[in-house]
Amino acid sequence: MADPATYRPAPGSIPESPGVYRFRDPGGRVIYVGKAKSLRQRLNSYFADFASLHFRTQSMLTTAARVDWTVVRTEVEALQLEYSWIKEFDPHFNVKYRDDKSYPYLAVTMGEDFPRVQVLRGAKRKGTRYFGPYSHAWAIRETVDLLLRVFPIRSCSAGVFKRAGQIGRPCLLGYIDKCSAPCVGRVTPEEHRALAEDFCDFMAGNTTRFIKRLEQAMREAAATQEYERAARLRDDVQALQKALEKQAVVLGDATDCDVIALAEDPLEAAVQVFYVRGGRIRGQRGWVVDKVEETSPGALVEHFLLQMYSEAEIPREILVPALPPDHDAVLELLGEQRGARVDVRVPQRGDKKSLMETVERNAKEALTQHKLRRSSDLTTRGKALQEIADALELDQAPLRIECYDVSHIQGTNVVASMVVFEDGLARKSEYRRFQIKSAEGDVASIHEVITRRFKRYLEERSATGELGGEPVGEPIDPETGRPRKFAYPPNLVVVDGGPAQAAAAHRALAELGVDDVAVCGLAKRLEEVWLPGDDQPVILPRSSEGLYLLQRVRDEAHRFAITYHRAKRSRTLKESALDEVPGLGPARRQALLRHFGSVKRLSDATAEEIREVPGIGPSTAEAIVAALQGER
């Protein structure tokens, strides 16, 4: 590993101008590209205090061997140059968005003599108009099947089209009027292109004029008693309306915007985009990104806008969860690319805010599904367990992992959770919850819960005869016929926290004489793994499957603990000294709380003030005052 001090630029050699910088490894390969309003201020921050930097930034600096920079005139030029260099060099330490799957588009090949409608994936082709993307190819085919009745353009392959022209007979679609059969000359190339343009206009959101035109033609046909033609036109109108029904109306008819939402954890982020055209959701797309460096939601949004809209169509309005740090520069750059003003903003209220919340739920679900796909793979789980064993220097892979977390609010309603993962998968039937008896802080709580759990383990081992030599029984409870709750020890205990929590867990095990269980702590802020007694953390690689597994175990313990804490706090809030007042039923308790607003304000009231509440007599008022003052 390189020492950053060996390639730090000389004092005063870095300009104060805006610009773009590149870190290179010993082989000259670019590993990171960044931009700055002031190159001197930004680059000096890398070399000022190495210990205070994020561990991923430290990794980048120790991988690099030199840094160079290019001065530009404006922040917009810096954005442009930064993105072009990221595309050119594909730096390892830069944020790069990747599709979580290949999304299908509805495409019309307007560059061909006879345009064709089809489903396409992958890179976009010149001369082809794209609509979408869609979540499923079958959704596109259903829409196309409805629209071909009104816009009968070609949908066959080049081979089928050529053969139909050679034999002078169209395919089945030509006979059922879902293709205008340009292959056999039923329509001219100009007429067929006009149909394709109408199809594209309808898909682009200009739907009203087509429906009105068909309805007018239907009425004219009915007026001249051409009832069969009127019936066909009526069916055409219904087909268009059915196609529109498949696209949910979410905003006003004139609204064209992209709605972008994020869901993130310390290692990854998922991005979801809903494409709204003419007030309707026309498509949806998702990406997943590795967070190689410490970054904010606004910075993730900025990277995403630059990468996505370098080639994609830019709408008039883009709704985002957080504004980019260089908001004005991003607006100017997007406006130049679109050729018109672009508004990037965070929705605050109304339908757009509601739609943003929907997109955010989709992003959270996408991130969850991405993580589940990783955890469900047997090979990946095996690799994760082996990586944990290697990093913590264990004798064998930790097939059973237990994780503990403490939850409370300012020391009240303190609870703890224990979650169990076996072979990399959650074993929810063995989750356990604890009410903490000594509220002396997280470290003391961890010591207490580990002590209680392993005392039960030793008691149950003793009950089965394992501590006395040869076991004389199985770890089965004879009363229930089920496995004893704490009969099986883990290979690894993980606690949510840093070195203090890890040391407390290790101390609890040592006091009980348990020396065959490994312990580590996982600190959430930097995802550092702490071993008891070590001054420095174990840093697992960013892409490590072992780190993903530890993170998932820790997050599950946190979820289980906070769920229990909320339930316990809710019960506590419902229970009060009013429950002990004789003759005071639920209806009058509710009346008192409605009148005073809270138990605290009620406890400050006099007996005379309490008697103002309908249904409360003198004796009951005195009893309430006595009960509440006794609680103080």
Side-chain angles (χ1 to χ4, degrees), residues 233-266:
L233 291 169
R234 177 204 61 201
D235 294 342
D236 290 348
V237 170
Q238 291 175 348
L240 293 185
Q241 290 173 339
K242 189 173 181 181
L244 289 175
E245 288 171 0
K246 291 179 176 295
Q247 300 166 337
V249 179
V250 290
L251 300 172
D253 289 344
T255 303
D256 291 343
C257 69
D258 288 353
V259 187
I260 301 170
L262 292 171
E264 57 178 322
D265 61 26

Side-chain angles (χ1 to χ4, degrees), residues 132-180:
Y134 292 79
S135 300
H136 304 284
W138 56 260
I140 302 178
R141 295 189 179 98
E142 283 187 356
T143 301
V144 170
D145 186 60
L146 290 167
L147 295 181
L148 287 181
R149 178 185 179 90
V150 184
F151 309 107
I153 64 174
R154 170 193 164 209
S155 59
C156 59
S157 65
V160 172
F161 185 82
K162 182 178 179 181
R163 176 169 173 76
Q166 290 173 341
I167 64 177
R169 189 171 67 244
C171 64
L172 176 62
L173 292 177
Y175 282 107
I176 63 174
D177 295 329
K178 287 196 172 180
C179 179
S180 55

Side-chain angles (χ1 to χ4, degrees), residues 13 93 339 523 577:
S13 64
F93 286 95

Side-chain angles (χ1 to χ4, degrees), residues 390-449:
D390 294 341
L392 304 184
E393 298 181 355
L394 306 180
D395 295 334
Q396 60 181 358
L399 297 181
R400 181 183 171 100
I401 300 175
E402 292 181 3
C403 185
Y404 298 82
D405 186 27
V406 175
S407 182
H408 61 87
I409 292 181
Q410 297 181 343
T412 62
N413 297 313
V414 186
V415 299
S417 67
M418 177 188 105
V419 301
V420 180
F421 275 58
E422 289 191 353
D423 195 21
L425 295 176
R427 193 176 178 88
K428 294 192 176 184
S429 62
E430 298 197 20
Y431 286 12
R432 298 291 179 260
R433 304 182 300 187
F434 300 83
Q435 292 191 45
I436 300 300
K437 300 172 183 176
S438 60
E440 300 176 1
D442 288 355
V443 174
S445 299
I446 286 291
H447 183 275
E448 177 186 327
V449 72

Side-chain angles (χ1 to χ4, degrees), residues 71 95 199 205 235 237 297 300-301 553-554:
V71 175
V95 170
F199 181 96
D235 294 342
V237 170
L300 285 172
V301 168
V553 171
R554 187 269 319 281

Side-chain angles (χ1 to χ4, degrees), residues 487-515:
Y488 298 103
N491 303 108
L492 174 65
V493 165
V494 181
V495 294
D496 183 10
Q501 285 81 2
H506 183 263
R507 187 170 67 254
L509 291 173
E511 291 169 356
L512 295 173
V514 178
D515 57 3

Side-chain angles (χ1 to χ4, degrees), residues 28 60 198 213 302 315 317 342 351 403:
M60 185 270 290
D198 286 346
R213 188 174 69 187
E302 181 177 296
E317 184 178 23
V342 178
D351 293 339
C403 185

